Amino acid sequence: PGVFKQGSSVCICEIFPEEYMNTAAVNLQLFARLCPISSPQCPAIVGLKYGGVIKGHMPAKKTGKPADTAPDGGPIGNRFQHQVQIRMKLEHSENISLKFFKTGRLQTAGCKTRVQSIQAVQEAMKALAIIATEWAAEGGTGI
């Protein structure tokens, strides 16, 4: 991962070098389908959400209304197809959120330190490497 910026508890990281930022893209549908959840290889990743698909454990919203409803109570559908939201548990942090955008940008929230943010990004990159290997074994190219 390249550019790394940290605000209060939110960190942003770019996985592609600057010269590829506007041309490279991550296949988020593939990432969501093959991402290892609570696996021995990636035990920190406990859940993910992509569009209307939820895998593993995603905590309930604090607002009291279901996460997948619009303000009028109807379904939202595939509203966030441009990102995968990953839930992680790292040492001393039970609820870390990492948004993975198709542009290769990662945004962490819930990390108490910069070190935790870096650990969260490393876990996501480990998952991406596993997915790339698995996808290549299936005969796929790119991710």
Side-chain angles (χ1 to χ4, degrees):
V3 181
F4 195 89
K5 302 172 190 168
Q6 182 170 10
S8 55
S9 66
V10 175
C11 295
I12 297 172
C13 176
E14 305 284 353
I15 66 169
F16 298 124
E18 245 182 87
E19 61 268 18
Y20 295 107
M21 282 188 194
N22 295 322
T23 57
V26 176
N27 182 335
L28 296 180
Q29 185 175 12
L30 182 66
F31 184 91
R33 181 168 59 92
L34 298 178
C35 184
I37 306 291
S38 299
S39 71
Q41 303 97 328
C42 294
I45 299 176
V46 296
L48 73 74
K49 182 176 181 179
Y50 175 66
V53 176
I54 296 174
K55 289 173 63 178
H57 172 71
M58 295 296 287
K61 293 253 183 189
K62 294 179 181 178
T63 62
K65 58 183 173 178
D68 287 322
T69 59
D72 64 0
I76 289 176
N78 293 334
R79 183 172 164 194
F80 294 109
Q81 293 286 350
H82 65 285
Q83 74 179 32
V84 172
Q85 182 180 1
I86 301 169
R87 276 299 163 183
M88 294 185 184
K89 288 186 179 183
L90 295 174
E91 190 175 342
H92 306 297
S93 283
E94 293 291 310
N95 192 16
I96 293 174
S97 174
L98 184 137
K99 292 180 184 175
F100 194 172
F101 296 91
K102 67 180 181 179
T103 60
R105 175 172 280 188
L106 298 155
Q107 178 180 333
T108 65
C111 296
K112 295 181 172 122
T113 65
R114 180 182 173 96
V115 171
Q116 278 188 336
S117 294
I118 292 169
Q119 288 174 331
V121 168
Q122 288 173 333
E123 287 294 318
M125 293 302 91
K126 192 186 316 178
L128 187 61
I130 291 167
I131 291 164
T133 302
E134 191 174 320
W135 182 236
E138 291 179 19
T141 58
I143 181 159

